Amino acid sequence: QVQLVESGGGLVQAGGSLRLSCAASGRPYRSHAMGWFRQVPGKEREFVAAISGSGQLTTYADSVKGQFTISRDNAKNTAFLQMNSLNVEDTAVYYCAAVRTESFTAAVRRQYEWAYWGQGTQVTVSS
């Protein structure tokens, strides 16, 4: 079992930045890929970014490529999502996810591939 706790959400003006954190506890962290998804009311949960267990591989949704950066600190069992140049369309609840995996493929873009989820953190971007 892996427990995930997100933090760092809040209210920010358009053009601003936020950094989300996801602290993991439980099973060996390095064997788990980490990901971020987001969801707005009435819509499906949307893939944002993912990073392999070693941190060497990353993938992003086209909508955030060049704007968001995913990273992880395996010594601290923590993943991060740096979000820059935020706009109103980035407003959502952001969820951290983890899955134990030997490979890192495009499948990580599907929410059903992920085994563990955090409770979510609200990000609100005002115009």
Side-chain angles (χ1 to χ4, degrees):
Q1 194 77 1
V2 174
Q3 293 79 40
L4 304 173
V5 178
E6 303 99 333
S7 61
L11 175 64
V12 63
Q13 285 191 329
S17 299
L18 282 176
R19 188 173 86 150
L20 305 183
S21 298
C22 175
S25 60
R27 291 187 173 178
Y29 181 67
R30 191 180 293 270
S31 62
H32 289 73
M34 300 296 294
W36 289 95
F37 287 73
R38 64 186 181 186
Q39 190 170 24
V40 298
K43 292 190 176 181
E44 286 195 1
R45 198 166 292 188
E46 173 191 27
F47 170 75
V48 174
I51 187 167
S52 62
S54 66
Q56 292 183 337
L57 300 175
T58 59
T59 185
Y60 295 90
D62 288 344
S63 59
V64 305
K65 200 172 294 183
Q67 179 190 4
F68 291 3
T69 302
I70 189 171
S71 62
R72 64 190 294 161
D73 183 341
N74 284 348
K76 297 182 178 179
N77 288 1
T78 303
F80 304 97
L81 185 69
Q82 177 67 43
M83 307 185 295
N84 297 329
S85 302
L86 286 163
N87 55 64
V88 174
E89 290 72 31
D90 296 315
T91 295
V93 177
Y94 284 72
Y95 295 91
C96 176
V99 63
R100 183 183 177 91
T101 179
E102 300 296 328
S103 62
F104 188 78
T105 70
V108 299
R109 292 171 175 262
R110 299 194 292 261
Q111 61 170 315
Y112 303 106
E113 296 295 320
W114 297 84
Y116 306 103
W117 292 88
Q119 81 287 351
T121 185
Q122 176 71 47
V123 171
T124 302
V125 184
S126 64
S127 59

